[in-house]
Amino acid sequence: MTGPLKVALLGCGTVGSAVLRVLQDQAGDLGARIGRPVEVAGVAVRRPAHHPDVPAHLLTTDAHALVTRDDVDLVVEVIGGIEPARSLMLAAFEAGKSVVSANKALLAEDGVALHAAAAKAGVDLYYEAAVAGAIPILRPLRESLVGDQLSRVVGIVNGTTNYILSRMAETGAGFGEALAEATELGYAEADPTADVDGFDAAAKAAILASLAFHTPVSAVDVYREGISTVTATDVARAAEIGCTVKLLAICERVAGEDGDSVAVRVHPAMIPTSHPLASVGGAFNAVFVEAAAAGQLMFYGQGAGGEPTASAVLGDLVAVARSRVTGAPGPGVTGYANLALRPMAETPTRYHVSLDVADKPGVLAAVAQEFARHEVSISTVRQTGRGDAATLVIVTHSAPDAALSATIAALREMPAVRGVTSVLRVEGLS
Ligand code: HSE
């Protein structure tokens, strides 16, 4: 077994072409690190004419035939989406080939079945590039931290929304204006729904939670709110209490009377500017991990783009190629803990609420009474007056999310409350 390992590349867009370039330019180094030469067996694309830079003899439109070819050892899937990526991956496993993928949507939807298929075939499935681009976070969760007990994984895993929120904080702009700027500069796609509404982050959160807590979590299990409702007022209120607004993917293990459960959510939240995640600006990503023995860890870097994502793909490729050389697959993924998934309504959160109220005796007491009625404890109250009106800014202690949202609904109905001007969850405040 000294001949070259042959790689089938499925897809040749921004990431695929960067992977192909490195595979060709650095074949010598990669081969030395693997212990066997590595070469590209073929590149499957839909329209070969759109890829004049790829040697014509490598191009094919028949991805299935490429994946199942006898001389192909490893498969790199950078097509994205559910089909045909899923069928091609399953065909690769069946043919005894390890797969490296960057496909967050597929892994978040069908990770359990894909891991089972890989394990059955005795091959590897790695997908570091699916979450947070270049940042090594999945292999640390799968391998480096597998001896520890993780309690929380909190990530800024979507660069588009982080860019928009960073610009809102820097310029005081509203969401619409900041989105328009992000689109103009190429940070947001023409259809920004997947990013702005939190779908992209929810898929990544599902993958992070599955690995962190050894529990199957799918994208549909993730509570999701996007950033389109975040206002300039929210961002200004956050600054007033020493916070900044971020779209967070929060995966946590929550202790309960019936045992531990896993809560996974994506929503905008205020975090203190002293929190390590607060300094993650622009389109950068970061993942903050809390573990029993390791304590707090932060992983930071570029979450998107051809070259950064290709770095993660190639790292995985070297890993699965080494497994192929040694004849033993790398560590798999298990859902052995199979913890219950906690609904958002029962997940403990904290709220920051800003109210315009009539400034007269009894109003603060009535507002406080509404929190008490829903068994929500208040942490701080700040009042600023404006004539016969006042603004009340309230930060709660932790309470079930349903109790907090019911409190807000009740406050909106109170005659003394002229308006609820800002409501955001708060994370990381002491
Ligand atoms: N669209 C993503 C982002 C990158 O804005 O971070 C790919 O997951």
Side-chain angles (χ1 to χ4, degrees):
M1 292 253 294
T2 51
L5 283 172
K6 297 217 172 173
V7 179
L9 180 61
L10 311 183
C12 199
T14 312
V15 176
S17 52
V19 168
L20 182 62
R21 194 163 47 249
V22 177
L23 264 175
Q24 290 175 325
D25 292 353
Q26 295 174 22
D29 280 337
L30 292 171
R33 292 170 200 171
I34 291 165
R36 251 175 84 181
V38 61
E39 68 183 38
V40 179
V43 182
V45 295
R46 266 189 303 181
R47 288 181 286 269
H50 289 200
H51 302 276
D53 296 340
V54 180
H57 72 279
L58 292 179
L59 286 168
T60 175
T61 54
D62 192 342
H64 188 270
L66 176 62
V67 160
T68 51
R69 238 167 65 184
D70 284 345
D71 65 328
V72 165
D73 299 289
L74 307 167
V75 174
V76 173
E77 183 274 308
V78 283
I79 305 173
I82 305 300
E83 283 295 350
R86 173 172 28 210
S87 303
L88 291 168
M89 260 192 216
L90 292 172
F93 296 146
E94 220 164 280
K97 290 146 198 202
S98 294
V99 174
V100 171
S101 173
N103 194 330
K104 61 189 167 251
L106 180 53
L107 267 301
E109 179 171 305
D110 222 8
V112 173
L114 291 167
H115 274 294
K120 187 168 169 224
V123 297
D124 288 326
L125 169 59
Y126 279 67
Y127 41 92
E128 185 63 71
V131 178
I135 303 173
I137 180 63
L138 301 191
R139 217 110 52 83
L141 293 178
R142 268 172 90 150
E143 298 178 27
S144 324
L145 291 166
V146 75
D148 210 332
Q149 194 74 4
L150 271 58
S151 53
R152 269 165 77 85
V153 178
V154 182
I156 294 172
V157 290
N158 183 270
T160 305
T161 46
N162 203 53
Y163 179 84
I164 292 169
L165 292 170
S166 298
R167 290 301 289 159
M168 288 173 73
E170 285 158 12
T171 66
F175 167 77
E177 200 185 325
L179 171 62
E181 184 196 304
T183 310
E184 171 87 24
L185 296 175
Y187 287 107
E189 309 227 2
D191 177 1
T193 312
D195 294 317
V196 162
D197 289 347
F199 291 99
D200 175 80
K204 293 166 179 169
I207 294 171
L208 289 170
S210 302
L211 297 179
F213 304 118
H214 309 279
T215 290
V217 180
S218 301
V220 291
D221 300 320
V222 179
Y223 175 82
R224 179 189 52 77
E225 283 176 26
I227 64 162
S228 59
T229 54
V230 175
T231 64
T233 304
D234 293 330
V235 175
R237 290 277 184 267
E240 284 165 13
I241 61 162
C243 285
T244 187
V245 179
K246 296 290 184 191
L247 181 71
L248 298 181
I250 302 171
C251 317
E252 56 194 346
R253 186 175 179 130
V254 184
E257 284 169 10
D258 303 334
D260 288 3
S261 56
V262 169
V264 193
R265 50 197 165 105
V266 167
H267 56 70
M270 295 183 182
I271 53 171
T273 51
S274 56
H275 192 289
L277 287 173
S279 61
V280 178
F284 277 84
N285 282 196
V287 182
F288 189 73
V289 177
E290 295 176 45
Q296 299 181 331
L297 305 146
M298 171 111 145
F299 302 77
Y300 169 87
Q302 296 188 66
E307 299 282 331
T309 309
S311 166
V313 169
L314 286 153
D316 280 353
L317 185 63
V318 170
V320 303
R322 284 172 171 164
S323 295
R324 180 82 180 191
V325 169
T326 60
V333 164
T334 133
Y336 81 92
N338 204 18
L339 296 170
L341 300 180
R342 198 176 187 90
M344 184 63 179
E346 295 166 25
T347 298
T349 60
R350 293 178 73 178
Y351 274 32
H352 172 285
V353 188
S354 183
L355 309 170
D356 282 349
V357 296
D359 192 5
K360 56 187 190 193
V363 169
L364 179 57
V367 166
Q369 178 57 33
E370 214 44 75
F371 281 85
R373 199 166 68 80
H374 291 90
E375 298 193 38
V376 175
S377 173
I378 291 171
S379 169
T380 61
V381 182
R382 183 165 48 91
Q383 177 173 330
T384 51
R386 288 185 284 109
D388 69 342
T391 296
L392 284 178
V393 177
I394 296 167
V395 179
T396 73
H397 284 300
S398 175
D401 198 77
L404 288 157
S405 54
T407 308
I408 303 302
L411 292 172
R412 289 190 202 279
E413 298 302 314
M414 286 178 64
V417 174
R418 294 174 177 166
V420 177
T421 53
S422 171
V423 181
L424 268 188
R425 296 184 184 86
V426 188
E427 291 291 322
L429 269 189
S430 50

